Amino acid sequence: MSGSGERLYRASEFARAAGVTVRALHHYDRLGLLKPKRRTASGYRLYGEGDFVRLQQIVTLKFIGFPLKQIKDVLDRDRPDLRTALRFQRIILAEKGRRLAQAVRAIEEAEVLLAAGTEPGREAFAKIIEVIEMQNDTDWTKKYYSEEAQARIAERQKTIPREVVEQGQRDWMALIAEVEAAAAEGVEPESARAQALAARWSELIRGFTGGDPEIQKGLNKMYSDPQWGAPFPKPYSDEAGAFIQSAMAASKK
Amino acid sequence: MSGSGERLYRASEFARAAGVTVRALHHYDRLGLLKPKRRTASGYRLYGEGDFVRLQQIVTLKFIGFPLKQIKDVLDRDRPDLRTALRFQRIILAEKGRRLAQAVRAIEEAEVLLAAGTEPGREAFAKIIEVIEMQNDTDWTKKYYSEEAQARIAERQKTIPREVVEQGQRDWMALIAEVEAAAAEGVEPESARAQALAARWSELIRGFTGGDPEIQKGLNKMYSDPQWGAPFPKPYSDEAGAFIQSAMAASKK
DNA sequence: CCTAAAGCCTGACGCTGCGTCAGGGTCAAG
DNA sequence: CTTGACCCTGACGCAGCGTCAGGCTTTAGG
């Protein structure tokens, strides 16, 4: 008997089988994202079946748009956090998609204009661009916040140290996860558990607004606007949103 | 009288007004994409109204996804080529959008699976990814080409020197532009002009397939499949496609 | 007029995910 | 023993700026 049993693949075989390049394998290796099972005495990389599975996962997550660093995290550390990560990613992609669609529409607009005026004169060109520019103008914040409040928000963002922001995001992620769970389980909005969640929720919001009432007002406007979702993507499901809203409403009564 | 008249802006003013950063201005300056109208004796950049217009154009084209290099070209050299460039860009963006939508659907699939099995066990995780993988599997070429033909195509692509490929693309762009024009003008497919275009068209196709009949067959299958557009984005409008098809049909009679 | 705070300048490195040489071992076949 | 065909490790390149660093200039205030 040979003792080992499992078949090993060399770099190029392995790469072809998985649909990536050898260079990519090197790259993943150096990043510690995917290290070959063995190496020959002369340094040749030898990959096994397990490596293949992992590479598939990497490719898949990459397809979904995860950066390699995060793929490494998800695969190595907090696999259970996959759920949150997925939702997060989906929302980001959806947002990208919206902008992309906008760009396409803008181009179409421009094409129509160009088709109308047969030749794109130097001035016509400028006008076309202006038109695109108008529709592009993403002035959504203006819809919700007064100029002042906007300035304050921007300023506030600058004064917050980066680490705090990141910690805050992690807090949000954690809380959202719990809220999602509660919503899914059908917890009563009046229950103590829901009330606790609502309290933490508004606590975090206060943390974000810094207690500025103007900003609070803007946020509330956004929340009550049925057009929700346009300004910035919400990192939680509709169900969770509805749940936390009714919970907070219940707390006011 | 002061003599000059036009108001000049300093870097930060100008940047804020246009919604870009000062660093971006530096960048554009070094690329020769946008040079300030004047400089003070001490080297400060001073931008004028004209610069503002140009910057708007740059920002707009960037929004549409043009790389800076191409923006420079379009703005400096072949503005009339804007039409072609726009269509090209729209198609690329649309393709991106499709892939993005695919990714989002994949994520949703995965989320459903995760919701079903409450906890993402280490094996469940793998399965989820597999599912995503399956739907991702973009095996469109297999739909149209036999294995052999695929191999030949791949091989052929390797044997073609880069410059030839680029020249070929330029040929295509030029021809497509003419076809678009002819289609828009309502040129008769039987006319000499249409026939000339059809001849050049099939000439280019032969150049691509290298005369390999198997590949030709695959192409034809693709052309006749109503699902057109899935394999790779076509860089011309439906009208142009219809036009060239009827022209080629007319030539066979 | 003097000074401190703001602004501006020019490098130059960093980030993402590899592509693409360059220079040099290794391995199986003839 | 000699080819090729593969493999390895650097190291630079690309796109579009972000982000210091180090050092002038301009400006508002006293």
Side-chain angles (χ1 to χ4, degrees):
Chain A
M1 278 189 256
S2 66
S4 78
E6 189 187 22
R7 168 146 191 226
L8 294 178
Y9 303 82
R10 286 185 316 189
S12 66
E13 293 175 303
F14 192 67
R16 240 200 325 280
V20 304
T21 67
V22 174
R23 181 61 179 85
L25 292 180
H26 290 175
H27 194 55
Y28 298 158
D29 192 356
R30 197 158 31 236
L31 293 187
L33 185 54
L34 176 65
K35 293 205 168 291
K37 184 170 186 183
R38 277 188 352 92
R39 291 258 197 163
T40 70
S42 52
Y44 281 31
R45 272 168 260 255
L46 294 175
Y47 294 89
E49 299 293 343
D51 294 329
F52 193 79
V53 172
R54 184 168 170 110
L55 181 52
Q56 291 289 71
Q57 297 178 349
I58 292 170
V59 169
T60 301
L61 292 177
K62 208 163 70 63
F63 173 79
I64 308 205
F66 281 86
L68 296 185
K69 205 171 166 62
Q70 198 176 348
I71 293 179
K72 183 167 157 53
D73 288 351
V74 171
L75 254 43
D76 289 351
R77 266 188 286 294
D78 32 43
R79 287 184 171 226
D81 203 34
L82 179 61
R83 208 179 321 217
T84 315
L86 281 181
R87 192 174 43 250
F88 210 79
Q89 190 63 16
R90 186 196 37 177
I91 285 159
I92 288 179
L93 289 192
E95 172 56 16
K96 264 195 187 174
R98 246 168 298 172
R99 281 207 296 239
L100 225 151
Q102 249 197 78
V104 170
R105 276 200 303 277
I107 295 181
E108 283 169 351
E109 283 275 335
E111 286 183 299
V112 170
L113 283 195
L114 267 182
T118 327
E119 274 313 304
R122 283 105 217 325
E123 304 82 12
F125 178 85
K127 250 184 192 159
I128 289 157
I129 288 194
E130 275 173 40
V131 172
I132 294 181
E133 195 57 38
M134 286 187 42
Q135 100 141 55
N136 157 7
D137 231 338
T138 58
D139 54 353
W140 41 269
T141 34
K142 290 175 195 155
K143 258 175 82 176
Y144 295 107
Y145 295 118
S146 69
E147 293 269 342
E148 292 177 73
Q150 275 186 55
R152 279 208 291 278
I153 270 193
E155 213 174 321
R156 174 160 293 290
Q157 282 178 352
K158 279 185 204 156
T159 67
I160 301 174
R162 182 168 307 277
E163 295 166 30
V164 174
V165 170
E166 282 173 3
Q167 182 55 51
Q169 288 185 351
R170 232 163 291 153
D171 290 346
W172 270 111
M173 300 263 285
L175 177 55
I176 286 171
E178 290 187 53
V179 171
E180 292 281 356
E185 291 174 32
V187 171
E188 290 295 321
E190 292 83 7
S191 67
R193 180 170 163 202
Q195 289 307 306
L197 290 175
R200 282 172 60 195
W201 189 278
S202 42
E203 187 54 43
L204 281 183
I205 288 190
R206 260 200 300 285
F208 168 62
T209 62
D212 189 318
E214 265 294 299
I215 295 177
Q216 275 279 10
K217 265 175 61 186
L219 266 180
N220 292 338
K221 237 178 174 175
M222 270 173 44
Y223 279 125
S224 58
D225 191 322
Q227 269 270 305
W228 228 109
F232 51 72
K234 52 179 185 173
Y236 48 84
S237 70
D238 289 341
E239 293 73 30
F243 175 82
I244 201 68
Q245 281 217 35
S246 54
M248 290 178 65
S251 75
K252 290 206 174 165
K253 262 186 264 182
Chain B
M1 279 192 253
S2 66
S4 81
E6 189 187 21
R7 168 144 191 227
L8 295 177
Y9 303 82
R10 285 183 317 188
S12 67
E13 292 175 304
F14 192 67
R16 241 201 323 282
V20 303
T21 66
V22 174
R23 181 63 177 84
L25 291 180
H26 290 174
H27 194 54
Y28 298 158
D29 191 355
R30 195 153 36 232
L31 292 187
L33 185 54
L34 175 65
K35 292 205 168 290
K37 185 170 187 180
R38 275 188 353 94
R39 291 257 196 165
T40 68
S42 52
Y44 280 32
R45 272 168 258 255
L46 293 176
Y47 294 89
E49 300 293 343
D51 294 327
F52 193 79
V53 172
R54 185 168 170 108
L55 181 53
Q56 292 288 72
Q57 297 178 349
I58 292 171
V59 169
T60 301
L61 292 177
K62 209 163 68 64
F63 173 79
I64 307 199
F66 281 87
L68 296 184
K69 204 170 166 63
Q70 198 176 349
I71 292 178
K72 183 166 157 55
D73 288 351
V74 171
L75 255 43
D76 289 350
R77 265 188 287 293
D78 32 41
R79 286 182 172 228
D81 203 33
L82 179 61
R83 209 179 318 217
T84 314
L86 281 181
R87 190 174 47 250
F88 209 80
Q89 190 62 16
R90 186 190 34 153
I91 287 162
I92 288 180
L93 288 191
E95 172 57 16
K96 263 195 188 175
R98 247 168 295 169
R99 281 209 295 240
L100 223 151
Q102 249 197 78
V104 170
R105 275 199 304 277
I107 295 182
E108 284 168 351
E109 283 277 334
E111 286 183 299
V112 169
L113 283 195
L114 267 181
T118 327
E119 274 311 306
R122 282 105 217 328
E123 303 82 11
F125 178 85
K127 248 183 194 162
I128 289 157
I129 289 195
E130 274 173 39
V131 171
I132 294 182
E133 196 55 39
M134 287 187 41
Q135 100 140 52
N136 157 7
D137 231 340
T138 58
D139 55 352
W140 41 269
T141 33
K142 290 174 195 159
K143 259 174 81 178
Y144 295 106
Y145 295 118
S146 70
E147 294 268 341
E148 292 176 73
Q150 274 186 56
R152 279 207 291 278
I153 270 193
E155 214 176 319
R156 171 161 295 291
Q157 281 179 351
K158 279 184 202 156
T159 67
I160 300 173
R162 182 166 309 276
E163 295 166 30
V164 173
V165 171
E166 283 173 3
Q167 183 54 51
Q169 288 183 353
R170 232 162 294 155
D171 290 346
W172 270 111
M173 298 266 288
L175 176 56
I176 286 172
E178 291 186 53
V179 170
E180 292 281 356
E185 291 173 33
V187 172
E188 291 294 323
E190 292 82 7
S191 67
R193 177 168 164 202
Q195 290 305 308
L197 290 175
R200 282 173 59 194
W201 189 276
S202 42
E203 187 54 44
L204 281 182
I205 287 190
R206 259 201 300 284
F208 167 62
T209 63
D212 189 319
E214 266 293 299
I215 295 177
Q216 275 278 10
K217 266 175 60 186
L219 267 180
N220 291 338
K221 237 178 173 174
M222 270 172 47
Y223 280 125
S224 58
D225 191 323
Q227 270 269 305
W228 226 111
F232 50 78
K234 52 179 182 173
Y236 48 86
S237 70
D238 290 339
E239 292 73 31
F243 175 82
I244 201 68
Q245 280 217 36
S246 55
M248 290 178 66
S251 75
K252 290 204 174 170
K253 263 186 265 183

